[in-house]
Amino acid sequence: MLALSFTVQAVGALLPSVPLLAAATATGLAADVALHRWQRSLAATLGKLHATVTVRQVVRDLLLVTGLLRIEEQHDEQRYLVLVCGLLVFYALHFACQALAIQVRRTRTLPVVTRNIDASALRLSAAPPALLMRRSGQRLLAFALPATAGLLATAATGSARWAAAGVALSVAAGVVAFVTLAVRLLPGRRPATSEQALEWFEAWLAEYQPTVGMYFSGGNSSAYQANMWLEPLARLEGRPLIVLRERFMVRKIASTDIPIVCLPKVADLMRLEHSTLKMLIHPSNSGKTSQVLRIPTIKHAFVNHGESDKLSSCNPYAKAYDEVWVAGPAARERYALADVGVDDRDIVEIGRPQLDAIQPYAGAPTGAYTTVLYAPTWEGWDGNPGNTSVVEAGENIVRALLADPAVRLLYKPHPLTGSVDPRAGAANVRIQEMIRAANVSRAAQHTDGRPAPSAAAELTRRAADLDRLTTASFRDSADDVERMLLQTAPEPGRAAAVAAASAAWEAAFWASFPVWEHQIVTGPRPTVYGCFNMADLLISDVSSVISDYLASEKPYAVTNTSGLTEQDFRAAFPTVRAGAVLTPDASGVPALLDSVRHPENDPYAEARTDLKLHLLGPSDPPSVVRFNDASRALCEAADAHRAGMAVRALPVIPSQRENDAKLNSGHLKG
């Protein structure tokens, strides 16, 4: 549409034809707006070809002026010279605004980003509108609209006043934007400098004196790995701190009372060496992890974001940490078998402190429906076809479950599904379409059992309460990504309020739809643990979901798409030994459902109890206590290490006996 609009606009200018000129110009503007709103990757590609939005708008205006000149060839063309000069002034203002926006953004991009910390001393006020700061293409299109409309009106009426008025409005908009940005560069309006911000940060560290913390670095979809450790971290003894590396990740961390700092640069990260921080837990490995491991005064423990029998749970990188904290004996054995260089003495069993919220097994389903949670994992980086069941077995499993009129399906795919293998993404889409079609069919069969309208209203109210709490941590707008996320003062109790609001939201969510309606859960809410509590049966792959679900001791099944026989599959993956194994054709689903509805036919009940102990460790002392004990011990090791470093750094002072010997030998005088 964009290319066609320029072609037709050129034809309309050369003929000349006012209808063609007007239609092509309007189409081109609409296509450009759509491009920036819905196809930003294509807009970026055009930019690489130097066909930027500025170039496109200049060409569009040039063709309009050319059309005007062609239409008015028999008249004095000098009157349009003023319009051309006005357009040049407008574009000059656009480029000046862009330069100012870059400069303002630089002054606002400080070396440390914070949450839950009173950073008002840095004098960073709300940012200018995003249209002025970072949406240069949309700014140009919006500000150029009056000029374009005026030129078209002149082409239609023959009166140059319309074009003059339009160009004047565009120039005025450019002047307002220029002044708005220029004011931000006045000495009194600038925030603290980078040096002042770092001095403030060091002073805050000295005042707060953090002792324990979590380090996290990752991509957009990986924040869940850190969020699962927020509550356990908050319950540790000491003063906790969260250390991040990517600015966008500050927004991704869920609501918490724990102070959060983001230090994108390595040099600034090293300032933690002289702080009171003693130990950091690491939920994941990343390329930037090696940078923080250089700090000798801090001890590091790898806690992982989940444990499974997959090779990724025994990454050789784990040997870089001082300790590896695992759930139970199974993980210790897994590292021993993997032989990746992790010393058994460095492995500490802490259980899974996040699993307190999972409700225990209560027996057979009591309602009219058996709730089945199908939670497959993603395809992974290694291309192993056995990683995820979505490609080979997902549709068969869902089809078999939907065929049972007494099943309610909860489908929760991994957030990264389809990110490596497009086939997984396509299968995920088809599965969701199957579930929606099944819901339409069920809705036609069930005229009763629907919740009252007040249930939907209650969910809306609870969602508004939760959104208000989770977004109130930020004082800036959603578009203001360049600025630091500064909260004027920390608000104690926010995490508890968010936890209560989340629980209320989940209760309202499950009550807001009929008990027979299948659900597709792809967002962060409801949580996977909330789905665990609603499910009577889990179907998954070899992943940490199985280990966590075992905390409930409910029945589960694992899909075997590895190509191994069932015997070899069970031998290769110990987490499978207490659950049923499904083949890719899902032929075992009816028997599996029967064993769930009739626990006397369940052959794995005792095995699940034993496997839970093997995977998650004993329930006494609780995992929360073991997690805290491990933290305290690692902090003591950090204290001992710092004391040793201090002793080794002292100058060597000769003893009195050594001085007497040297004096007698003539080496010391006076």
Side-chain angles (χ1 to χ4, degrees), residues 103 169 172 191 213 280 282 366 373 422 472 480 506 561 618 645:
Q103 189 61 28
L169 285 175
L280 289 170
H282 297 258
T366 56
L373 171 62
D480 189 9
E506 288 215 1
T561 56
M645 290 177 61

Side-chain angles (χ1 to χ4, degrees), residues 24-40:
T25 302
T27 301
L29 280 172
D32 235 327
V33 170
L35 195 70
H36 281 82
R37 184 172 181 83
W38 294 299
Q39 298 186 22
R40 294 182 181 179

